[in-house]
Amino acid sequence: MRESTIMKVHYGTALAAVALVAVHILMRLTMGYSESLEYENVLANYKFVPYAIMLELILILLSVHGFNGLRVILLELKQGKMYEKAVSYGCLAGMIGLIAYGSRTIIMTNMGMV
Amino acid sequence: MAQVSSMSDGQSSTMKSITLKISRFNPEHDESSQFMEFNVNYEKWTTVLEAILDVKKHFDHSVAVRYSCRQATCGSCGMIINGKPRLACFTKISELDSNVVTVEPMNNFPVIRDLAVKFERLFDTHQKIKPYLIRDDTELESDQKEFLQTPEEVEQYIQFANCIKCGLCNSACPTMATDSSFVGPQALAQAYRYVADSRDKGKDSRLKVIDDSHGIWRCHFAGSCSQVCPKGVDPAMGIQLLRGYMLGFRD
Ligand code: HEM
Ligand code: SF4
Ligand code: FES
């Protein structure tokens, strides 16, 4: 992929994350923070489909942004053909892995599998 | 290797003196650099380059330094003076306001010896961005005029055309310090200089060159380049304007 395309995605995910994380924080303000983290409330959040979709979106946005950011840091730290290939594919794998693991939690909880 | 030398004979009484600390390093047989100290006299108008040349003339002719024009035009004499990248011929000792003046080779450039550094990377990256007007036609047809520009069109790029390729911006850039493949502020500012020139038609090929994993996106807005540029080029602004083309804000 062209670097400018990747960086457009990087800035886009950052902007979208600001908006969605703001909504996420506002939703959490509906109750005390410790209450938010009680077992029943956490389950209820995941079962409320629009909110679960939003959490999934935040997960994707920040995984893409965070792992691409890590790729940038690592590319600037050290150079070399093999190293750069490993960094790029490694970050892509991390990104996909994190999204898969997070999605699994969201989907399983949403479907009442825990 | 440290040594103190001083020169006092035949100088006027209005003269003041400073300690000039020169970084000495010969990669062929030194493990690391060491400072040599010299006591040099100066007048209000004495530049750091003149002080170094004084040392060469009177104390140690083996001090390696590159210079040519002595008037901030050739871009040869960049070095770190009291911690900041500056042109030695464009920095007066009196303006430094210090009794000790330390000179070191520029950061982010391999040292040849003492204060002289290798410019190959700067010249390579500069060449890579195609620093010339690109167009299909040519001005050589006999009955045609030169390509005229309005003052507004000249305004778009003229500030960036003042670059003397001294490399001070590359020396100050934090990305240059760790990314050995980064294009660097000097070349990026020059890419903007040509892209913004109304006579030039090479925008697409130039943007392609810098749209690389070690290209323009590795600039993180530190702005150190613009702080040290002796010609007011403001490479950081050139980089942001160039980004405008790539993000679709300009065409
Ligand atoms: C939602 C708020 C956020 C905004 C507005 C934001 C914005 C940005 C921007 C503009 C850059 C590019 C900086 C540059 O090129 O110099 C960046 C880089 C980066 N971001 Fe974020 N970001 C946010 C959240 C996050 C989060 C939560 C993470 C961690 C998961 C993260 C990880 C990174 C990393 C690792 C970099 C690369 C470092 C760098 O380029 O300086 N960001 N971010
Ligand atoms: S932009 Fe300024 S600091 Fe950089 S090489 Fe050109 S004149 Fe020197
Ligand atoms: S000697 Fe030419 S710029 Fe200093």
Side-chain angles (χ1 to χ4, degrees):
Chain A
M1 215 190 291
R2 275 225 306 269
E3 194 68 18
S4 54
T5 313
I6 299 175
M7 292 313 285
K8 278 177 198 164
V9 170
H10 193 80
Y11 299 148
T13 50
L15 286 175
V18 171
L20 291 190
V21 171
V23 175
H24 173 52
I25 292 170
L26 286 174
M27 294 286 281
R28 300 285 35 89
L29 289 179
T30 55
M31 54 181 85
Y33 284 121
S34 56
E35 207 181 329
S36 261
L37 288 173
E38 278 166 25
Y39 188 70
E40 297 307 320
N41 288 329
V42 173
L43 284 192
N45 282 327
Y46 282 133
K47 288 199 167 126
F48 178 42
V49 175
Y51 191 64
I53 291 174
M54 200 192 75
L55 290 180
E56 175 73 24
L57 283 176
I58 293 177
L59 169 70
I60 295 172
L61 291 173
L62 288 183
S63 302
V64 170
H65 181 90
F67 275 102
N68 183 53
L70 181 64
R71 179 192 68 100
V72 168
I73 294 174
L74 294 176
L75 286 187
E76 285 178 15
L77 201 62
K78 205 165 112 68
Q79 292 77 44
K81 235 184 158 120
M82 284 305 292
Y83 169 79
E84 291 182 28
K85 253 203 164 106
V87 162
S88 295
Y89 287 110
C91 287
L92 192 63
M95 188 188 298
I96 293 168
L98 185 63
I99 292 174
Y101 180 71
S103 303
R104 172 184 160 277
T105 308
I106 295 173
I107 291 168
M108 280 176 68
T109 321
N110 182 266
M111 291 178 16
M113 290 163 79
V114 281
Chain B
M1 193 153 94
Q3 155 191 341
V4 180
S5 318
S6 66
M7 182 171 61
S8 54
D9 51 304
Q11 303 294 343
S12 77
S13 58
T14 61
M15 266 200 167
K16 289 181 272 187
S17 75
I18 45 116
T19 303
L20 181 64
K21 287 174 73 179
I22 302 182
S23 168
R24 304 298 305 267
F25 178 56
N26 185 344
E28 276 176 22
H29 51 72
D30 295 341
E31 292 264 301
S32 61
S33 66
Q34 267 183 313
F35 283 108
M36 269 175 106
E37 295 187 6
F38 301 92
N39 205 316
V40 290
N41 295 321
Y42 72 100
E43 297 278 5
K44 202 164 66 184
W45 52 82
T46 308
T47 64
V48 173
L49 179 63
E50 285 165 335
I52 296 169
L53 294 180
D54 243 19
V55 166
K56 277 175 76 72
K57 193 168 164 191
H58 297 288
F59 305 130
D60 185 345
H61 65 89
S62 73
V63 172
V65 58
R66 187 193 278 117
Y67 69 100
S68 174
C69 70
R70 307 189 189 206
Q71 53 173 10
T73 303
C74 71
S76 306
C77 67
M79 60 186 71
I80 308 288
I81 302 175
N82 281 2
K84 198 179 156 189
R86 308 174 199 249
L87 293 179
C89 73
F90 200 49
T91 306
K92 290 199 291 290
I93 288 175
S94 56
E95 84 190 56
L96 292 170
D97 219 8
S98 165
N99 295 327
V100 181
V101 173
T102 308
V103 291
E104 297 162 276
M106 282 197 288
N107 296 324
N108 308 337
F109 286 82
V111 176
I112 300 171
R113 199 153 61 77
D114 303 340
L115 304 170
V117 296
K118 288 200 178 98
F119 267 76
E120 276 77 0
R121 180 173 169 197
L122 182 131
F123 294 148
D124 283 350
T125 49
H126 184 239
Q127 198 168 23
K128 213 166 110 185
I129 59 92
K130 308 177 195 232
Y132 39 82
L133 295 180
I134 299 175
R135 27 192 317 144
D136 294 331
D137 57 355
T138 129
E139 77 278 27
L140 293 178
E141 286 173 33
S142 57
D143 55 342
Q144 280 187 341
K145 280 191 184 166
E146 69 270 41
F147 303 116
L148 294 178
Q149 288 185 303
T150 64
E152 288 75 25
E153 284 170 336
V154 174
E155 197 108 306
Q156 292 295 312
Y157 68 86
I158 194 68
Q159 169 187 342
F160 300 93
N162 288 334
C163 174
I164 57 171
K165 290 87 192 168
C166 62
L168 292 180
C169 51
N170 283 12
S171 169
C173 172
T175 303
M176 290 293 292
T178 61
D179 187 341
S180 60
S181 308
F182 182 45
V183 200
Q186 188 277 334
L188 288 170
Q190 289 315 291
Y192 179 75
R193 179 253 172 273
Y194 287 96
V195 167
D197 191 317
S198 62
R199 299 165 296 182
D200 181 77
K201 304 283 175 246
K203 185 181 96 186
D204 292 344
S205 69
R206 242 179 241 112
L207 294 189
K208 216 165 152 181
V209 172
I210 57 174
D211 192 2
D212 176 82
S213 59
H214 295 283
I216 186 167
W217 306 103
R218 298 294 82 86
C219 162
H220 303 284
F221 335 103
S224 336
C225 50
S226 297
Q227 278 201 346
V228 302
C229 177
K231 305 302 279 187
V233 169
D234 199 351
M237 184 167 83
I239 295 172
Q240 295 315 313
L241 292 170
L242 206 50
R243 267 207 175 106
Y245 289 104
M246 313 194 84
L247 294 173
F249 299 122
R250 324 173 102 227
D251 51 25

